DNA sequence: CGGGATCCAAAAGGATACTG
DNA sequence: CAGTATCCTTTTGGATCCCG
């Protein structure tokens, strides 16, 4: 009787995977995390961000900031002066993201070695797939 | 004298952002998290995964599994029978990722509403940017 | 059954010139 | 100063078809 399900994906998987994808959809961009962290340390001006984040282009900085603003992670404030002046700051929503992100970061730091080893093994051998008897 | 730095990116930002990107580079794919979670519940065969994950193509299932295997998150076992039989299981490395991922998921579930509201506001107005006097 | 090989569409990202 | 507009390259993902 447990059949007749429209959603094929396992519900228990869905319950975790779906929210996780929601987060990744917002902070998964190449520059998103760096920008969030930079902005979390206080109001930052556009040019300051551009200089603080090595390698980012004007285009990607603007685009990423707009997306973060749209998702309520960043607030953009325009000062009507000349020359124009704009600053960006993190919202509480963004600040609450810090600890979860730090959790991920810890995992990465702890296991950087294991991952590199796994890669080396995989790339060396023809893929390390076990052959069962 | 604090100049002459080659790495322009703020070191304190780098220390968190870089590890986070390492994680995202491995689980940021469209299907990675779903596959990790599915495989964490015990050995699963290729076809079972394909049926359990709604909408995935053969190609992406294979590709994502290969990448996860390469990074040491999944173990692939081949049984030399006919017809061929293969199963996948999660490694400890992958299991240690569960809690950090759950942390992200909680954030997403708690703030789903705020994000939707922020988006609605942004999309409604011409961008909600504050104008300072 | 469990893929690999191929081809194609869409999205992400980069370089850079121009502007209020 | 803080972008926008434009053009281009790279990456990602999807649709098959084929094969041992």
């Amino acid at each position: 009787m447990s059949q007749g399900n429209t959603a094929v994906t396992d519900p228990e998987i869905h319950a975790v995977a779906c929210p996780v994808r929601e987060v990744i959809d917002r902070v998964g961009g190449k520059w998103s995390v760096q920008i969030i962290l930079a902005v979390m340390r206080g109001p930052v001006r556009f040019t300051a961000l551009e200089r603080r984040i090595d390698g980012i282009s004007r285009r990607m900085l603007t685009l990423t900031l707009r997306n973060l603003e749209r998702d309520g992670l960043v607030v953009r404030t325009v000062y009507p002066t000349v020359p124009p002046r704009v600053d960006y700051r993190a919202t509480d929503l963004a600040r609450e993201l810090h600890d979860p992100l730090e959790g991920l970061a810890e995992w990465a730091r702890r296991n950087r070695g294991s991952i590199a080893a796994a890669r080396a093994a995989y790339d060396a051998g023809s893929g390390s797939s076990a052959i069962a008897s």
Side-chain angles (χ1 to χ4, degrees), chain A:
Chain A
M1 297 293 178
S2 54
Q3 299 307 344
N5 199 343
T6 305
V8 181
T9 302
D10 187 315
E12 289 188 44
I13 291 174
H14 190 78
V16 181
C18 166
V20 169
R21 280 230 86 329
E22 287 174 18
V23 189
I24 293 181
D25 283 347
R26 333 213 162 280
V27 304
K30 183 168 180 181
W31 306 103
S32 307
V33 174
Q34 286 180 71
I35 293 181
I36 290 172
L37 291 171
V39 151
M40 234 162 32
R41 306 179 45 170
V44 200
R45 299 182 55 173
F46 187 88
T47 313
L49 277 172
E50 197 177 2
R51 269 180 285 105
R52 188 171 300 181
I53 298 174
D54 193 30
I56 196 170
S57 68
R58 256 184 191 72
R59 188 180 110 89
M60 286 314 294
L61 180 54
T62 305
L63 254 177
T64 308
L65 281 169
R66 290 289 175 278
N67 286 329
L68 293 175
E69 189 193 358
R70 183 162 116 101
D71 291 335
L73 295 172
V74 159
V75 175
R76 175 171 182 268
T77 311
V78 181
Y79 300 88
T81 60
V82 42
R85 174 188 177 153
V86 177
D87 68 30
Y88 296 89
R89 48 197 92 198
T91 62
D92 291 350
L93 197 57
R95 288 176 202 286
E96 287 174 25
L97 200 49
H98 180 271
D99 288 359
L101 288 183
E102 181 58 39
L104 280 193
E106 276 186 59
W107 180 90
R109 287 189 287 256
R110 271 205 316 274
N111 303 107
R112 197 170 275 174
S114 313
I115 296 171
R119 288 203 162 209
Y122 185 94
D123 293 349
S126 44
S128 55
S129 312
I131 314 283
S133 45

